[in-house]
Amino acid sequence: MKSKIWHHPGWYLWPVPAIAAFVIQRVLADSPALAEQWHSRHLFRWISLPIGYLTSLVPFSLTEMLVVLGCPLLLAGLIYWLVRMIKRPARLARTGRLACRLAWILSIIYFAFMLLHGFNYARLSVAENFGLPAQERSADDLETTAFWLAQKASQLRAGCEEDSQGVFKLHSSIAATLQAAEAGYESAAAEYPLLDGAAIRPKGVLLSHYWSYTGITGLYFPLLVESNVNIDVPAYQLPATALHEIAHTRGFAREDEAGFIAFLAGLAHPSPEYAYSAMLDAAIRCMNALYTKDEEAYQEVAGQLSEAVWRDLAAGNAYWKQFEGPVQTAANNVNNAYLKANLQEDGVQSYGRMIDLVLAWYEAKAEEGTLNRSVASIQATAAKPLPKG
C-alpha cells in the first residue's frame, strides 16, 4: 500500500504551475499587445485590486511581519518535523511527502507571483502607452533637460521645510506623508488614465535602518500587492520612493518605467514635498548621465542647484556611506539576477533607462508649449505643504 503512494500523480505534477507560468511569460513577451490587453489592463487589475484594498486596510507592513515572524516559525516547524521523523518509522515516505508538499507550495507561489507581477514585465512599454518615443539623444538634449530639472527642483525646495541643520524635513509625520502619496496618482490620472487605480497605502518598514544595509529604499511584495518603504532614508528620498512602489501596484513592473511614473505622479502631486522629491530624483539621474558625456556641461547644470538642495544631497551621501559593504553588494547582485530573470536583460542598468523617458517627456511638453504649465500647479501650491498628522 505504501509503495502505491509514490505512484500518485501528485508526486510528479507539482512543476506544472511553475512551468506554465514561465512559458506564459515568455509567450507574452513576444506579444506585448496581448499582455497589455489580456493581462495588465484586465486580469491583473481584477485580481490585484481586491487584494491591495484589503492589505491597505492594515496600517503596518504585512511583508515585514511575514519575514520577522515567518522565518522563525518555519525554522521551528522544520525542527519539529525532524524530531518526529527521527522518532517514527517510515522516514523515507514522510520525507517524500513533505518535499512534495513544499514543491507544490513553491510552484503555486511562483504562478501567483507571475499573475500579480511577472507577466507585467511583458506588457507594452510606457513609451508606447504614453506616446513618448524613447530613443538615444545627444548630450545637448540631456543638458537642456537636466538644466530645467535642476532649476525646478531648486524652486520647489524653497517651498519645503528644513531642520536646524538646514536639511529638508517632512512637514507631516511619515505615516501622514505616505498616506498622501495617492494624491499624486489621482492628479496624474487626469492626463494619463492608465495611472488610475484603487488607493494603495504605502507601508513604512519598522526595521528600515537595518534594511538600509542592502541599499534598497523600497520593495513591492506582489503576493500582497503591498508597497513597502524604507522610512530611515533621507527625508527627501521618501516621497519619490513611495510613488515608485505604488507604480508597481498599477501594473508597471519594469524599474525604469516605475521610476518615470513616480516622476509624473510627483509632478502632479499638490504637495511641494512630493514634487521636489520626484523632480530632484530625475535631476540627479540626468546629471549623473550628463557627467559621463560632458563634465563641463555637468558643472553648469550643477550650478543651478540651490545651496539648500546641495545640503540635502550631502546629508544623503553621508547617510548611505555608513551602509556600504558586502551586504549591499550581495543585495545588488541578487536584484540584478532577479531583473534579468524577468526579461530585463540589462539587469540593474535598467534604472538608467528612466532618463530616456524623462527626455522624451520633456521634448513632448516643450513642443506642445505646455512645459511650464506642467509645473505651474506645483509652484502655485509651493506654500501649501501637507497637513500635519
Side-chain angles (χ1 to χ4, degrees), residues 169-287:
K169 74 172 184 178
L170 298 172
H171 173 77
S172 306
S173 66
I174 291 177
T177 300
L178 293 178
Q179 188 71 28
E182 273 293 334
Y185 280 89
E186 292 174 5
S187 299
E191 183 174 359
Y192 305 99
L194 277 180
L195 300 187
D196 191 23
I200 296 293
R201 179 207 296 262
K203 311 287 187 65
V205 173
L206 295 178
L207 298 177
S208 287
H209 180 79
Y210 304 99
W211 190 14
S212 290
Y213 281 100
T214 65
I216 297 174
T217 59
L219 173 71
Y220 171 56
F221 187 55
L223 300 183
L224 295 175
V225 192
E226 186 175 67
S227 299
N228 295 275
V229 178
N230 184 330
I231 57 176
D232 193 58
V233 301
Y236 73 86
Q237 292 183 318
L238 194 146
T241 299
L243 294 175
H244 179 110
E245 298 310 319
I246 291 176
H248 291 314
T249 72
R250 295 291 198 270
F252 298 96
R254 301 175 193 137
E255 294 299 330
D256 57 311
E257 295 183 348
F260 174 69
I261 288 169
F263 168 73
L264 294 181
L267 217 61
H269 203 289
S271 165
E273 297 177 353
Y274 268 92
Y276 168 63
S277 181
M279 189 74 78
L280 182 59
D281 179 68
I284 295 304
R285 291 176 188 273
C286 285
M287 289 172 63

Side-chain angles (χ1 to χ4, degrees), residues 55-369:
T55 57
S56 289
L57 295 177
V58 181
F60 56 87
S61 170
L62 293 171
T63 304
E64 183 179 24
M65 184 185 72
L66 283 176
V67 172
V68 174
L69 298 181
C71 291
L73 288 176
L74 282 175
L75 180 60
L78 177 61
I79 294 173
Y80 174 74
W81 173 81
L82 287 172
V83 171
R84 288 194 62 187
M85 187 187 71
I86 293 172
K87 289 184 175 180
R88 296 189 178 188
R91 297 175 186 174
L92 183 59
R94 290 180 181 277
T95 302
R97 279 195 292 268
L98 178 65
C100 185
R101 289 168 186 165
L102 288 176
W104 269 106
I105 291 172
L106 292 175
S107 185
I108 292 171
I109 286 176
Y110 181 71
F111 188 87
F113 162 81
M114 284 295 187
L115 281 175
L116 291 166
H117 195 53
F119 293 156
N120 285 328
Y121 283 103
R123 73 183 298 178
L124 288 172
S125 67
V126 164
E128 293 174 281
N129 272 322
F130 291 12
L132 298 171
Q135 59 192 28
E136 188 172 348
R137 299 175 188 274
S138 67
D140 289 340
D141 293 334
L142 186 59
E143 180 183 2
T144 299
T145 305
F147 194 92
W148 182 83
L149 291 169
Q151 280 189 326
K152 296 306 177 185
S154 294
Q155 291 173 14
L156 290 165
R157 175 63 173 82
C160 301
E161 295 185 11
E162 55 186 40
D163 60 20
S164 59
Q165 304 299 315
V167 176
F168 172 90
K169 74 172 184 178
L170 298 172
H171 173 77
S172 306
S173 66
I174 291 177
T177 300
L178 293 178
Q179 188 71 28
E182 273 293 334
Y185 280 89
E186 292 174 5
S187 299
E191 183 174 359
Y192 305 99
L194 277 180
L195 300 187
D196 191 23
I200 296 293
R201 179 207 296 262
K203 311 287 187 65
V205 173
L206 295 178
L207 298 177
S208 287
H209 180 79
Y210 304 99
W211 190 14
S212 290
Y213 281 100
T214 65
I216 297 174
T217 59
L219 173 71
Y220 171 56
F221 187 55
L223 300 183
L224 295 175
V225 192
E226 186 175 67
S227 299
N228 295 275
V229 178
N230 184 330
I231 57 176
D232 193 58
V233 301
Y236 73 86
Q237 292 183 318
L238 194 146
T241 299
L243 294 175
H244 179 110
E245 298 310 319
I246 291 176
H248 291 314
T249 72
R250 295 291 198 270
F252 298 96
R254 301 175 193 137
E255 294 299 330
D256 57 311
E257 295 183 348
F260 174 69
I261 288 169
F263 168 73
L264 294 181
L267 217 61
H269 203 289
S271 165
E273 297 177 353
Y274 268 92
Y276 168 63
S277 181
M279 189 74 78
L280 182 59
D281 179 68
I284 295 304
R285 291 176 188 273
C286 285
M287 289 172 63
N288 288 341
L290 181 61
Y291 183 83
T292 64
K293 290 180 175 291
D294 188 335
E295 188 172 346
E296 185 176 342
Y298 166 84
Q299 294 298 337
E300 292 183 11
V301 172
Q304 297 304 306
L305 294 177
S306 67
E307 292 184 5
V309 173
W310 281 115
R311 288 196 298 271
D312 296 343
L313 295 177
N317 289 336
Y319 174 83
W320 288 110
K321 186 71 175 176
Q322 64 182 314
F323 298 106
E324 292 179 353
V327 175
Q328 191 171 127
T329 301
N332 186 70
N333 290 337
V334 170
N335 193 32
N336 187 50
Y338 163 79
L339 293 174
K340 288 183 176 180
N342 283 282
L343 310 176
Q344 293 189 247
E345 295 181 358
D346 50 358
V348 292
Q349 293 302 315
S350 63
Y351 290 92
R353 287 189 282 120
M354 170 194 166
I355 299 169
D356 296 331
L357 290 167
V358 173
L359 293 176
W361 173 89
Y362 178 87
E363 181 182 67
K365 290 298 181 182
E367 290 179 353
E368 294 172 2

